[in-house]
Amino acid sequence: MNRITTRLLTLSVLFLLLSCNAPGGHENTVILMKTSLGDIKLRLYDETPLHRDNFIKLINDGFYEGISFHRVINGFMIQAGDPETRTVPLGISADSLNTYTIPAEFNKTLFHKRGALAAAREGNDVNPEMRSSGTHFYIVQGVLRSEEDLLNAEARINSDRRQALFYKLVRQVADSARITGEQLSDAEIQERVALRASAFLAPELNYEIPASQREVYKSIGGVPRLDGTYTVFGEVLEGLDVVDKIASVKTGAGDKPVEDVKILKIKIIE
């Protein structure tokens, strides 16, 4: 085998290995969501590969076809992804978050601007790791934000992060005591949690909304209080008018639309 042939074979093998190591092979994925009120085109972020690839798998499996937007709050967001909405009668709130979960993928460059696609999740008390629901997602509608709104959002974000840390440490201390057979009262558990938490609660570790994102919230809107606590994994490219249309429908108990708004089909177009 001559030197040129050997070199070509080596390059071919290297290219194959690099291709196999690419994260899911789904870079720059664009999807089209057809709803009963119009079409929404979205891009999935490569910076959140676990959420991206999970969403693509659900699309390819046809999971979302026939599922309804079960929670709609005008000025906030539209939420879908609950398989129970295929069978639960209209007017009854279906909101099961007991599907599988995936790890949070927080990225400070990805935030809850108008049109952001993000994953719903259970609360901090039962989900201190802030893991995302495997199927539930929401699209941010949001409103324009003032500087006061942003300061309040930062306070809310940091409160949520401290709460999640507290629940996480309580679980760790209780689990450790159970494994070692140590009997601890609630007061003793909280005392140990307080000692561990102090290192993580310094003021300099507080979350702050970057200046560039503050301008986006002031100019196009969004929901900044969810940043850093819910995973954003995509954004709307076209169809914000459809998001507004869905967000403005009449709702009843549990913020469920009175008239069903369904996802008819989702497909990958790029």
Side-chain angles (χ1 to χ4, degrees), residues 68-227:
S68 303
F69 284 91
H70 66 273
R71 186 168 177 242
V72 167
I73 302 176
N74 198 17
F76 179 26
M77 59 88 220
I78 59 175
Q79 182 175 340
D82 193 331
E84 289 186 6
T85 61
R86 289 197 183 95
T87 56
V88 173
L90 188 65
I92 298 178
S93 179
D95 195 4
S96 65
L97 279 166
N98 58 356
T99 57
Y100 66 95
T101 62
I102 53 180
E105 292 183 289
F106 301 139
N107 185 318
K108 201 166 184 178
T109 67
L110 309 178
F111 58 108
H112 284 80
K113 63 184 179 181
R114 173 169 161 80
L117 171 68
R121 65 173 178 85
E122 291 187 301
N124 296 340
D125 54 338
V126 296
N127 179 30
E129 294 84 9
M130 301 184 183
R131 294 177 65 92
S132 298
S133 162
T135 65
H136 283 242
F137 69 87
Y138 58 92
I139 300 175
V140 173
Q141 184 196 32
V143 297
L144 295 179
R145 302 292 173 177
S146 66
E147 184 62 26
E148 183 179 359
D149 292 335
L150 297 176
L151 292 173
N152 289 335
E154 287 173 336
R156 171 70 178 271
I157 291 167
N158 286 302
S159 175
D160 284 348
R161 286 155 65 95
R162 287 191 291 270
Q163 182 192 62
L165 175 63
F166 173 79
Y167 284 124
K168 184 176 181 179
L169 293 178
V170 165
R171 184 178 296 179
Q172 289 177 354
V173 171
D175 287 347
S176 177
R178 185 176 62 254
I179 292 171
T180 60
E182 187 177 9
Q183 299 295 321
L184 294 178
S185 66
D186 289 345
E188 289 171 325
I189 290 176
Q190 291 188 22
E191 182 179 354
R192 294 191 184 185
V193 167
L195 290 173
R196 291 191 185 186
S198 59
F200 299 98
L201 300 180
E204 62 268 20
L205 297 180
N206 281 347
Y207 183 91
E208 293 184 1
I209 301 170
S212 59
Q213 294 176 16
R214 301 180 97 85
E215 292 307 310
V216 172
Y217 282 128
K218 292 175 182 179
S219 60
I220 70 169
V223 186
R225 64 181 174 83
L226 300 180
D227 289 346

